[in-house]
Amino acid sequence: MHPAFSVIFLTTLIGAGQGLFLALFTGQIFSQFKLMPEQHDSNFYVIGSIIAVGLMAIGLFASFFHLGHPERAWRSAAKWKTSWLSREVIALPAAMGAISLYGAAHYFGFTTPLFTMPGGTEIDATLLLGLASTFTVYTLFICTGMIYGCIKFLQEWHSPLTVINFTLMGMASGFAVATALSAYMQTDLTKFYAVWAILFTVLAFVFRVLSLVRNKKIKPKSDMRSAIGVNHPNIRQMAQGSMGGSFNTREYFHGKKAGFVRNMKYIFLVLAFIVPLALLVFSLGASSWVIPVAAVGIQYLGLIAERWYFFADANHPQNLYYQQIS
Amino acid sequence: MTQLALVIDLNVCVGCHACVTSCKEWNTSGPAGSMVDKNPYKEDPTGTFFNRVQSFEIGTYPQTETVHFPKSCLHCEEPPCVPVCPTGASYKREEDGIVLVDYDKCIGCKYCSWACPYGARELDEKQKVMKKCTLCVDRIYDEDLPEKERLPACVMSCPTSARLFGDIHDENSDVSKAIREDAGYQLMPEWGTKPANHYLPRRKVKMTIHKDELERVDNPLSKEERKTHNAPSDSPSLEDMTTW
Amino acid sequence: MKTIPIVDKTPKTQAQGVEVKTTTCYMCACRCGIKVTIKDGEVRYIQGNPDHPLNKGVLCAKGASGIMKQYSPARLTKPLLRKPGTERGAGEFEEISWDKAFGIMEERLGKLRAEDPKKFALFTGRDQMQALTGMFAKQFGTPNYAAHGGFCSVNMAAGMIYTIGGSFWEFGGPDLERSKLFFMIGTAEDHHSNPMKVELAKFKRNGGRFIAINPVRTGYAAIADEWVPIKPGTDGALILAIIHELIKLGLYDREFLVQYTNSAELVDMTPGSHEEGMFLRFEVPEEEGCFDPQNKLWWDRDLDIPISTHTEGVDPYLTGEFTLEDGTPCKPAFQLLKERVEDYTPEWAEGITGIDADTIRRLAHEMGIVARDQKIELPIQWTDAWGKDHDSVIGNPVSFHSMRGLAAHSNGFQTIRALSILMTLLGTIDRPGGFRHKAPFPRPIPPCPKPPTGWDDVKPNTPLNGMPLGWPADPDDLFVDDDGEAIRLDKGFSWEYPLSVHGLMHNAITNAWRGDPYPVDTLMLFMANMAWNSSMNTGEVRKMLVDKDEEGEYKIPFIIVCDAYHSETVEFGDLILPDTTYLERYDAMSMLDRPISEYDGPVDAVRIPVLPPKGDCKPFQDVIVELGSRLKLPSFTKEDGTRKFKDYKDLVINFETAPGSGIGFLAGWRGKSGEKSLKGEANPNQWEMYEKNNCVFHYELPKSFQYMRNWNRGYLHWAQEHNMTRYDEPINIHVYSEILQKFRLAAQGKTTGRQPPDRLRKRVETYFDPLPFFHETLESQLTDTKKYPLNALTQRPMAMYHSWDSQNAWLRQIHTHNYLYVSPILGRQNGFDDGDWVWVESMHGKVRCMCRFSESLEPGTVWTWNAIGKASGTWGLDPKANEANKGFLLNHIIAEELPAHDAGEHVSNSDPVTGQAGWYDVRVRVYKAGDDEPEVTSPQFKPVKPLPGMDDRRKTKWQAYFAGGFRKKMGLK
Ligand SMILES: Nc1nc2c(c(=O)[nH]1)N[C@H]1C(S)=C(S)[C@@H](COP(=O)(O)OP(=O)(O)OC[C@H]3O[C@@H](n4cnc5c(=O)[nH]c(N)nc54)[C@H](O)[C@@H]3O)O[C@H]1N2
Ligand SMILES: Nc1nc2c(c(=O)[nH]1)N[C@H]1C(S)=C(S)[C@@H](COP(=O)(O)OP(=O)(O)OC[C@H]3O[C@@H](n4cnc5c(=O)[nH]c(N)nc54)[C@H](O)[C@@H]3O)O[C@H]1N2
Ligand code: SF4
Ligand code: SF4
Ligand code: SF4
Ligand code: SF4
Ligand code: SF4
Ligand SMILES: [Mo]
């Protein structure tokens, strides 16, 4: 597939935004359940939420560049019953809305317990809104992942790993952002987030490598024989009927040499996982916010490369019909 | 239920591209139009077409076959391109199975095209909406056209009548008969899309020659032997011996 | 943006404001009937006309792209004059009025006509009105006129017409409706494009077996049941070997040969006599008219004596050796054929053609057996020319079609003779399932029109005495001076190419430049892209067009180009005349030229404008009529000296071949009120009647006149009565060609009449063999084939017409540039890979291009699509267009002249009999281009700029055609 930058930005940015929210909320839960010291600085949640929603908003904004008719974008919510894209279109603003409310609740200090759970845990509005946001965020992860994962023709994508990877990479990057943010704001949560970020980065790395391994082994379901229905091992295209190219040659081919694509793979493995991992580990023992911020920046570049590769790696069966221009 | 479709006979398609340009010509000024061209007179001209003819070589010399292969939207019975469309712009008509795009609803997200394994959809890069073969829905029901012209433009133009049009759910239709009798097949059946359009394979006519057809007694060469009369013979013959 | 949701089941697409008109397509020379729907003054839609006999409603890629030709930015709209003081070819033109243009031409041509008419040369390309242009040239009095036939397929026309009185091409074709076995030899697309496709598909569906003989498997050959790859230029060997096998096994139609051909006629074998090789005749009357007198002899099998041919009840020998009473040794012609093919065994042919002997034998067996055993008998009564009644028409259902794969070789004439004879041996001429003629064919062998014969026929202010193009029957019909040298500029009808019945347009520019045989003053080119794809040695020809003599004058002083588009040739004109498109003019596809007849009878057709001319475009026909009138050429002038015809439309109605002949351009709706067909007085409403009848006139012959027309008394009478022909004599097939023998006898010095100059004696003696024989192409004979081992071919893509479709925004997307197709074996041997840049080099030059590996070609052959490459900036294209940078023209490495050899220094690269251009003879080698070389094709030419009056759309990024608003939206004039 031809990597579209609007979609690359969309998926990586909202992933990070979603992850960041989950990090915030994880922090809150941990303190709520007294698993770690309470965070008194609600600013952190507010700013975190703003950043999370901001990232998602930029992603959303980027996504408009993907549309031929952004002014009709509202129509795209229509088919939520069948279309994961439609569902994403609903889930994304829902998540953004929920996170905004979550941030607002923190801002306005709606922390008066509403009721107390049997275990003695006090439930306040932020927690409820956080839960709701969590729900929308996971829904969004699933929707985004499934947009790609549900297309069975793109065998590289058609796997639960797509949803898992989108989620894990979102979490990894989101927790890394949280780490950086808390380091910058000098909260006590830095180490906490760093550990989580390390954990998710490792997990994301493992699953991404898993998917690379899987994709390497994919045997394309279609070949020339089934494409044109002639049973012969040796079929070559001589003309595709449009020598100046067509939508089909532009949308489905990355147009880069194999070496470039391979390099992109190594680049993303290093930038999205290995370098940030090292920096995060390093940051555990340091107090400077520069290191986690650097980790975030580098990881984001890595994720762009990862998403580029994600597209380029996917081989659409339609390509069988578009191999030779003459 | 009706399922309209094209059946394309690869046995006679000579790859002339008449179906390609007549499709563009009909559609460019119709409801699906215009069918834009980018760089029409510059480097790398490219444009929107609903139908393309491709050529393939099969085998190695001298056992090579050349196959010309026209391809447009196959109007799948299980069209994967439809449910993915977020706006409902892509839809399959109940009444005749034609898969269409409503250009007024389409947001140009291209998602449906990703979900078509055949590469049958093309984004109109000027109008930014997804386009594809309409099965000439604006011809086949158009009562302003003479009845025998209520056919897809490509079908009308095809000089080899390699393009048959009809209802594949009607067992008695020409298309159903062709599929049944001439081994019609679907493209990429492995995906379960159940394309309505079918293709008919090459069918070879061979000749067997029997030995007795080559060595015949009524060979005209026999007439060419010079019929000269023999001179009377002096050598012994039955006449010398017998008395009847 | 106009986007209507398609939800309504009954959308009104044929909305208000549309009208439908019929006319005839001219996106190629096939001439299909079309219906043009116009919406608000713009073409909404062009479709095939279902009521047209030729295409029956179908269309082709080009025909369906007519809109893009009509609105092409390459269109010329103003008469243009090269700016005074600028160089020819520099592209500096100024707009002038038609009045001025006519003034210039009138003055110049008037002077030439009064002083030296041969100095005006008119050459026309894909011209469908040669009846008019030829008449103009004749009336002008210049011998220098020809159309594209000479570089196109004259071998096919002459080879077959000199044998069976008809040909493929527009003259006849295979009866695929009834055929069972069909051989297509060397055809990629053909003139009869759509009908061929229609019929081929029907034929296959009816279970016919289709065999393609072609070095390349594309297009039609793709759907063949069997592909027989052959080495280019060797079909003669294949066909002769098949004939060998058929004769050896007796798989020929003996009765057909005896009755309808000269096979059984006795040939004088007296060695050394001036009659050697001529038929024996029982009396030698002065031959009256152009037909074969029935005065030859057979050898009677029963009586064992010579006897007059076609004597009732006589069965003659086809083989043997006989002696007349006076001691004259003789043999039936068939015996000579048998002897000729004796050594042409399948094994022999295998070594030449690359087809194995078993395959050759099998092909022979297949055709022989199907012809013999699957006979068709139609219950149609007919009477033959000798008065014998037949209860049925018999057909041997084996058919053939062939075109330039045979024709465009310098051995093509003899190869095509061999093919015609093969078809004859199988008994398939004008019979069901075989070959069928189309009116006005069959013609006498050869047809009657004759060229002028000497300088006396060319006089100032006088029409040419003779037809500019004709059909020589013996050396006295040649158009040569007292030394036997050419009189025509193109050297047509000279001893170099005696039967060049369509001229040699491909040598006109080179000869004019060299002044050989003489310089000309004004060269007028119509509808021929002579500075590009229709000339050989294109790069050099382009230089000749601008070359000057010592005095600084152009060697070709004045060039007039009439084109509708900005072709490469337009750049070289001094005066440019903008023609209309086919949708803007009246045209007649006339019986006087090459009509579109069907097997069942004559058909002619017209074009009627469906749109007004753009800008100042003027139909060339009207230009000719105007010029003819201004010059007061007899046919265009009344007795009182005033002009006879208002315009072309008027001329078509009122012109008669001779006063009161009743024969004019159009055969339909003649007579005062249109009540007559083929012949009759002028009908003032003839155009309207054509218009009402789909622009086509179809005369269906009675069934009994539809077959065996060479010998069908009823048909021959009918043809004579309707002035299709002058004689109703039978047209027997020339298995043995006495006509060729006459030229050979002259070359041998055995005759008293005209003889060739000494340098050409050997050549004429060799190639004017009365029986078909195989020889290597002239180019191969003169090339170091070790150095240049490969054959390079071009062929036509179905979706492009020569050079003129790159201006078409739709078609150029299908063929944007071209590759050289090569066998992977060749690539591996020479170290280049699929897609690499390579040089293709012949002994004449080289071109650089990209290659593509292909398995569907004979490995010793390389090929490319014809005329896709363009000169930078022409055709309304941006100089960066792929056509100019990745596209290439093979013509640069094909020479118009052979290297100097015995026959002369500047002999055309053409068939020695007909002057047919040997396009497909070129021998090449292919090697990888250097890595440091630029990735553009070579040669490149300086980009040209748009001409005044053109809609410059070179930089247009988006073009969206929508009928009824396009021009306004695009801001076009
Ligand atoms: N290498 C190679 N060269 C070949 C051949 C080959 O097989 N191989 N084939 C040869 C053969 S068979 C032929 S016939 C020639 C064809 O060669 P040409 O006769 O040169 O044919 P075109 O390229 O179509 O160009 C004809 C010219 O007519 C102009 N034209 C088109 N429509 C109109 C019109 O309505 N009015 C006027 N006035 N002009 C018009 C076009 O703009 C163009 O300039 O090419 C020959 N050249
Ligand atoms: N679409 C389209 N149609 C056209 C034209 C066009 O430009 N475009 N041009 C028109 C004109 S002017 C003409 S003359 C006709 C020509 O019509 P065709 O004769 O069909 O045209 P070519 O392309 O010259 O085809 C020659 C074929 O002969 C094969 N061939 C070459 N050499 C040999 C040989 O030695 N032996 C055999 N057996 N085969 C050989 C080539 O591979 C090729 O397939 O087409 C007309 N129709
Ligand atoms: S061919 Fe493609 S676009 Fe057409 S219905 Fe099937 S999946 Fe959809
Ligand atoms: S491009 Fe248009 S038709 Fe396709 S999925 Fe998007 S909205 Fe639907
Ligand atoms: S059916 Fe109509 S829209 Fe579809 S390919 Fe044919 S002409 Fe084009
Ligand atoms: S028009 Fe017919 S023969 Fe020509 S390419 Fe299309 S399907 Fe094939
Ligand atoms: S074959 Fe095509 S281009 Fe030629 S006349 Fe017919 S429709 Fe027109
Ligand atoms: Mo031609």
Side-chain angles (χ1 to χ4, degrees), chain C residues 44-250:
Chain C
R44 159 71 180 88
Y45 186 53
I46 299 174
Q47 68 188 106
N49 184 345
D51 301 318
H52 197 280
L54 191 86
N55 57 318
K56 301 174 183 76
V58 307
L59 217 55
C60 79
K62 299 161 279 139
S65 305
I67 296 175
M68 285 297 116
K69 195 173 183 197
Q70 179 62 27
Y71 303 110
S72 153
R75 285 200 60 185
L76 307 174
T77 62
K78 302 277 176 197
L80 301 172
L81 188 67
R82 176 162 61 86
K83 279 194 189 146
T86 66
E87 294 296 310
R88 179 185 291 163
E92 296 295 333
F93 290 94
E94 63 188 21
E95 293 179 23
I96 57 168
S97 68
W98 273 106
D99 220 36
K100 180 156 179 206
F102 280 121
I104 293 171
M105 289 189 283
E106 184 182 350
E107 193 195 319
R108 192 152 194 134
L109 300 189
K111 192 154 167 279
L112 292 179
R113 184 161 192 262
E115 290 169 0
D116 194 358
K118 70 173 187 299
K119 294 204 145 189
F120 170 61
L122 170 60
F123 286 90
T124 73
R126 303 286 320 115
D127 173 2
Q128 293 180 353
M129 33 170 263
Q130 293 173 40
L132 180 68
T133 50
M135 176 174 93
F136 179 82
K138 179 182 155 91
Q139 295 286 315
F140 187 91
T142 178
N144 295 321
Y145 163 82
H148 71 282
F151 57 56
C152 182
S153 311
V154 63
N155 267 344
M156 191 50 74
M160 288 185 80
I161 290 173
Y162 274 93
T163 307
I164 64 171
S167 180
F168 299 129
W169 206 356
E170 283 119 319
F171 315 108
D175 180 13
L176 291 177
E177 186 101 32
R178 287 218 151 83
S179 197
K180 305 232 160 84
L181 179 61
F182 173 54
F183 291 84
M184 183 176 257
I185 311 177
T187 310
E189 167 67 340
D190 197 8
H191 291 279
H192 219 44
S193 331
N194 272 337
M196 176 55 74
K197 293 178 191 110
V198 171
E199 293 302 319
L200 201 51
K202 269 201 240 161
F203 170 79
K204 284 201 66 169
R205 290 211 165 97
N206 289 341
R209 178 162 153 79
F210 169 22
I211 297 175
I213 302 172
N214 198 316
V216 186
R217 184 167 207 176
T218 52
Y220 298 134
I223 62 166
D225 295 300
E226 183 176 344
W227 171 46
V228 182
I230 186 169
K231 288 206 174 90
T234 67
D235 302 73
L238 169 69
I239 295 166
L240 288 164
I242 290 175
I243 293 178
H244 167 101
E245 187 70 10
L246 291 178
I247 293 182
K248 192 174 124 196
L249 291 175

Side-chain angles (χ1 to χ4, degrees), chain B residues 34-109:
Chain B
S34 53
M35 306 266 281
V36 294
D37 295 303
K38 190 176 174 189
N39 305 336
Y41 306 104
K42 293 207 285 190
E43 203 177 352
D44 296 337
T46 176
T48 306
F49 285 79
F50 291 171
N51 179 33
R52 311 248 185 197
V53 175
Q54 312 190 317
S55 300
F56 297 89
E57 260 181 24
I58 293 150
T60 43
Y61 181 83
Q63 267 82 43
T64 323
E65 293 283 336
T66 305
V67 169
H68 300 294
F69 185 82
K71 176 168 68 69
S72 49
C73 168
L74 308 165
H75 299 278
C76 300
E77 299 204 47
E78 302 290 343
C81 55
V82 166
V84 301
C85 173
T87 62
S90 273
Y91 63 105
K92 184 172 177 71
R93 292 168 31 128
E94 286 284 327
E95 62 270 40
D96 54 15
I98 300 179
V99 176
L100 288 177
V101 179
D102 181 337
Y103 307 126
D104 285 346
K105 282 193 192 155
C106 175
I107 56 171
C109 67

Side-chain angles (χ1 to χ4, degrees), chain C residues 179-348:
Chain C
S179 197
K180 305 232 160 84
L181 179 61
F182 173 54
F183 291 84
M184 183 176 257
I185 311 177
T187 310
E189 167 67 340
D190 197 8
H191 291 279
H192 219 44
S193 331
N194 272 337
M196 176 55 74
K197 293 178 191 110
V198 171
E199 293 302 319
L200 201 51
K202 269 201 240 161
F203 170 79
K204 284 201 66 169
R205 290 211 165 97
N206 289 341
R209 178 162 153 79
F210 169 22
I211 297 175
I213 302 172
N214 198 316
V216 186
R217 184 167 207 176
T218 52
Y220 298 134
I223 62 166
D225 295 300
E226 183 176 344
W227 171 46
V228 182
I230 186 169
K231 288 206 174 90
T234 67
D235 302 73
L238 169 69
I239 295 166
L240 288 164
I242 290 175
I243 293 178
H244 167 101
E245 187 70 10
L246 291 178
I247 293 182
K248 192 174 124 196
L249 291 175
L251 281 171
Y252 51 84
D253 187 333
R254 186 177 193 281
E255 202 193 316
F256 187 82
L257 291 178
V258 167
Q259 292 301 322
Y260 305 120
T261 79
N262 64 14
S263 300
E265 292 174 6
L266 298 175
V267 178
D268 188 335
M269 300 303 294
T270 318
S273 110
H274 69 277
E275 283 290 320
E276 185 184 3
M278 300 294 284
F279 284 114
L280 291 168
R281 290 172 164 83
F282 52 80
E283 56 186 298
V284 194
E286 264 308 280
E287 281 188 25
E288 299 265 4
C290 64
F291 57 88
D292 277 337
Q294 302 287 304
N295 57 357
K296 305 192 195 85
L297 298 175
W298 285 349
W299 199 276
D300 189 321
R301 278 175 70 219
D302 290 324
L303 303 177
D304 208 15
I305 52 162
I307 195 160
S308 170
T309 63
H310 295 94
T311 306
E312 187 63 48
V314 165
D315 190 16
Y317 281 112
L318 278 176
T319 63
E321 257 184 276
F322 309 93
T323 313
L324 295 190
E325 265 181 7
D326 65 2
T328 311
C330 59
K331 290 178 181 175
F334 188 80
Q335 170 68 27
L336 297 174
L337 176 68
K338 188 169 168 236
E339 290 169 14
R340 167 55 51 86
V341 299
E342 205 80 20
D343 297 332
Y344 289 148
T345 60
E347 280 69 19
W348 163 82

